[in-house]
Amino acid sequence: MIDQADWWRRAVIYQIYPRSFQDSDGDGIGDLRGIISRLDYVRDLGVDGIWLSPTFPSPMKDFGYDVADYCGVDPTFGTLDDMDALIEGCHARGLKLLLDWVPNHTSDQHPWFLDSRSSLDNPRRDWYFWRDPSPEGGLPNNWLSNFGGPAWTLDEATPQYYLHSFLKEQPDLNWRNPDVEKAMHDVLRFWLDRGVDGFRMDVIGMILKHPELADNPPNPRWLEGMPEFLRYLPVNNRNFPGVIEKIRGLRSVLDEYPERMAVGEVYGTAEEVAQYYGADQLDGLHMTFNFNLIVDRSWRLVPWRASAIAQVVVESQATLPSGAQACWAIGNHDQPRFVNRHNEDGWGEERARAAALLVLALTGTPFLYYGDELGMLNGGIPEARLQDPARFRARGRDPERIPMPWDASSTRGFSTGEPWLPYGPAEINVADQDGDPSSLLNLNRRALAIRRGEASLNSGGFRPVAAKEDLYVFQRRLEGSASVLVLLNTSVEPASTHISIDYSKVLLASTMDAEARLTKALQRAARTRDGQVEVTIPGLAAAWLTTGEQGG
Ligand code: NOJ
Ligand code: MG
């Protein structure tokens, strides 16, 4: 249990997509009681906390990201009592619990929106964005929905258009209205009072819009294949100047409670993402996700290449204010599974093994997506069973949301009913990997345990040692503790490099073969004149070496 005020600086957080973790009532949809029954698994994995994707009452058009009541639990997932039990169950195991707060939009079934749309002079009219058709009778501006098509839908009743940056069932809240801001602050307090440890804040970068909702300029770098909404540069509805004042307001609510944390979902340039920390005062969000190991600014997938990874790290370090904590993710419920993203030659799992050692060794807080610890694959889902309405990717986001495979049985230990999405292959499952010392699951467990015990790894400084096309070497070092050297080879060929003779021991390598080879190499190492030894890292492997005791 990490119980200092800044626990989140050393923590590793595990993201649970509640529909797909564990079903307890046979309806084929995961739920809170199911999650509670699997908390020992999460604790034994060795993470420090859970981020739970939304479980609030919702029509589920966007599977919970369309919230109809911020202060409840959807019956599909359970009750408020179940949520209290989950909070308690986490805390009893030394785990933190983060909820997913969705401030940019509500469901169109939220009572606030029902009020707002009821008439032009309803007191809540201004809680959302209502605009007359343009003089020519068209859309109020050129903003596009992130899920495709215009960000405006005409409501025949009044008749005005309302703004939705996502589905038309997800109308955007107007954060320039002080009553909206206050109501949403109270939502945070409702959950903080119940004992949650903080929030992941959904598309927080979009809450503040240009005051006149001015058109966005065309994106000169848009190319066929990029998501449609990037045809225009979202300068007037994303990372809009002044958003940090809203963020400071949120932070002051969190600061009413000890030891709470907020991590924001922000897409943008490294500079844009960095501003959410609140410059040098660090009075903004505690962290914002860095997604640049997954996608670049044009939402193109980032290759598994040392030089590209090093570049992302350098940019992050160059832009974060001093003292700010980076936050890394290599998977989530919006992106194809890691193994699929890096499987063009069939070596996806090898890369996933190395990636675990990389993200757990970078300076910053890693977020792990459920099932990635097993190397879960995208589900191959027949067209007729696809559920996700957002099709900015051809098959939407269902493939990365299939049920957690607990065992090889026909139900995967997930549900006694028909699962809401089909199961993946039986070969990838917890039970089998549990009994296999060389499995990805056990690699993750070992890595998490080692990271927890090595002060240099979980809180030391960072020094790059080598960043070549396919080889990344850096040091983590905390005064008074053993130093750790992190080696990553992204080529399928072995790579050799010289390292200080002080690194005398292998803490962990991404495969048992790599571990045995490196251990042998360090034992046999003959000191050269400059105190260096040559080591060879097998293709696609990563390793953590240590000076043992102190020094380095
Ligand atoms: C980002 C979430 O991660 C995604 O799943 C959701 O669809 C959008 N925000 C809209 O809330
Ligand atoms: Mg259920």
Side-chain angles (χ1 to χ4, degrees):
M1 162 90 109
I2 308 179
D3 44 23
Q4 292 89 346
D6 62 350
W7 57 270
W8 42 273
R9 287 184 182 268
R10 283 173 304 292
V12 179
I13 309 289
Y14 185 73
Q15 180 189 354
I16 291 183
Y17 193 70
R19 295 180 75 81
S20 297
F21 202 57
Q22 177 67 56
D23 182 22
S24 74
D25 59 2
D27 67 352
I29 302 175
D31 44 49
L32 295 181
R33 288 275 151 204
I35 295 171
I36 292 170
S37 73
R38 295 294 187 183
L39 284 178
D40 286 349
Y41 170 83
V42 177
R43 177 200 54 205
D44 296 345
L45 179 60
V47 297
D48 304 286
I50 292 172
W51 150 30
L52 189 65
S53 284
T55 52
F56 313 108
S58 164
M60 302 290 168
K61 296 288 180 199
D62 189 18
F63 296 106
Y65 287 95
D66 47 327
V67 179
D69 171 7
Y70 288 98
C71 300
V73 171
D74 193 273
T76 324
F77 297 123
T79 63
L80 258 184
D81 284 345
D82 294 335
M83 183 59 92
D84 288 340
L86 176 62
I87 296 171
E88 213 184 293
C90 285
H91 290 169
R93 289 167 180 81
L95 295 169
K96 307 285 185 185
L97 183 66
L98 308 177
L99 295 189
D100 201 325
W101 181 64
V102 188
N104 181 68
H105 44 267
T106 67
S107 159
D108 65 346
Q109 299 307 307
H110 195 293
W112 298 343
F113 188 71
L114 297 179
D115 279 353
S116 185
R117 87 185 315 173
S118 66
S119 73
L120 287 169
D121 54 9
N122 184 279
R124 290 214 171 99
R125 188 69 173 176
D126 181 55
W127 281 40
Y128 296 83
F129 296 93
W130 292 97
R131 292 294 181 275
D132 288 329
S134 71
E136 306 77 48
L139 301 164
N141 71 16
N142 69 358
W143 295 359
L144 296 175
S145 157
N146 288 36
F147 289 166
W152 295 94
T153 289
L154 186 67
D155 192 36
E156 302 291 347
T158 30
Q160 281 190 325
Y161 282 95
Y162 67 89
L163 178 70
H164 52 88
S165 299
F166 294 85
L167 297 175
K168 69 178 188 341
E169 293 88 356
Q170 292 169 296
D172 281 37
L173 281 165
N174 174 14
W175 273 78
R176 291 187 190 268
N177 181 312
D179 295 333
V180 168
E181 189 166 11
K182 183 178 174 310
M184 289 303 275
H185 285 185
D186 286 344
V187 168
L188 295 178
R189 291 192 186 95
F190 174 87
W191 290 110
L192 292 166
D193 285 335
R194 282 193 115 81
V196 307
D197 300 287
F199 304 94
R200 176 262 189 185
M201 298 187 164
D202 189 68
V203 285
I204 189 74
M206 295 191 76
I207 63 174
L208 196 75
K209 276 79 171 173
H210 185 288
E212 272 95 51
L213 310 185
D215 275 352
N216 280 327
N219 180 358
R221 298 197 308 177
W222 190 84
L223 296 169
E224 205 62 54
M226 279 167 56
E228 192 203 340
F229 72 89
L230 290 179
R231 276 179 186 272
Y232 296 96
L233 289 171
V235 294
N236 290 326
N237 56 348
R238 178 185 295 249
N239 304 327
F240 192 75
V243 67
I244 187 61
E245 290 316 318
K246 299 289 161 199
I247 301 296
R248 291 201 169 101
L250 301 175
R251 176 61 181 263
S252 63
V253 174
L254 275 127
D255 284 348
E256 293 167 15
Y257 301 76
E259 298 178 18
R260 311 302 164 100
M261 182 270 270
V263 53
E265 187 203 25
V266 177
Y267 284 90
T269 62
E271 289 79 10
E272 284 168 340
V273 171
Q275 65 163 328
Y276 288 81
Y277 287 83
D280 291 335
Q281 306 89 281
L282 296 181
D283 56 357
L285 299 179
H286 299 80
M287 302 188 285
T288 51
F289 282 109
N290 187 322
F291 295 116
N292 300 332
L293 294 175
I294 307 179
V295 285
D296 68 14
R297 275 164 62 193
S298 305
W299 278 58
R300 279 180 303 235
L301 296 177
V302 173
W304 188 246
R305 175 132 319 126
S307 53
I309 295 164
Q311 178 64 27
V312 169
V313 172
V314 165
E315 266 187 29
S316 158
Q317 289 169 344
T319 45
L320 288 191
S322 133
Q325 174 87 351
C327 181
W328 302 101
I330 51 172
N332 64 32
H333 62 295
D334 296 326
Q335 303 292 345
R337 287 280 177 182
F338 181 94
V339 174
N340 294 85
R341 297 205 310 271
H342 300 292
N343 206 29
E344 61 285 355
D345 53 4
W347 293 109
E349 196 200 314
E350 303 294 312
R351 293 185 178 91
R353 302 181 73 94
L357 266 61
L358 175 79
V359 278
L360 293 177
L362 289 175
T363 316
T365 301
F367 274 59
L368 311 180
Y369 186 46
Y370 88 93
D372 275 356
E373 74 273 25
L374 310 171
M376 261 180 92
L377 301 173
N378 285 343
I381 305 170
E383 187 69 32
R385 287 196 66 180
L386 287 176
Q387 310 267 344
D388 183 17
R391 290 296 187 85
F392 51 87
R393 289 203 335 254
R395 302 194 73 74
R397 299 165 294 176
D398 295 322
E400 59 264 28
R401 298 175 176 181
I402 63 170
M404 178 79 168
W406 295 101
D407 58 43
S409 72
S410 60
T411 67
R412 303 291 184 276
F414 169 74
S415 175
T416 53
E418 178 70 8
W420 77 288
L421 287 174
Y423 298 124
E427 306 82 69
I428 298 174
N429 69 78
V430 172
D432 287 351
Q433 293 202 19
D434 187 46
D436 172 2
S438 70
S439 68
L440 183 52
L441 174 60
N442 280 319
L443 177 71
N444 273 290
R445 287 174 174 159
R446 286 176 69 202
L448 284 156
I450 291 170
R451 178 191 149 102
R452 187 186 293 252
E454 293 287 334
S456 286
L457 262 185
N458 64 45
S459 23
F462 180 98
R463 190 171 65 84
V465 176
K468 305 196 183 132
E469 180 69 8
D470 271 309
L471 180 71
Y472 193 21
V473 183
F474 57 87
Q475 183 199 51
R476 297 295 311 274
R477 176 164 188 264
L478 188 72
E479 196 60 46
S481 304
S483 297
V484 175
L485 193 72
V486 179
L487 303 135
L488 172 74
N489 176 9
T490 54
S491 157
V492 290
E493 302 297 335
S496 296
T497 187
H498 285 86
I499 64 167
S500 158
I501 189 94
D502 294 335
Y503 292 100
S504 54
K505 202 179 141 221
V506 182
L507 275 175
L508 187 64
S510 57
T511 65
M512 290 197 157
D513 173 61
E515 198 158 318
R517 282 168 192 268
L518 281 164
T519 303
K520 211 178 267 173
L522 291 187
Q523 281 162 358
R524 288 191 188 153
R527 184 189 288 266
T528 60
R529 258 188 311 155
D530 53 1
Q532 302 242 313
V533 292
E534 187 177 40
V535 291
T536 300
I537 310 126
L540 298 181
W544 295 347
L545 311 186
T546 177
T547 54
E549 303 301 314
Q550 298 188 2

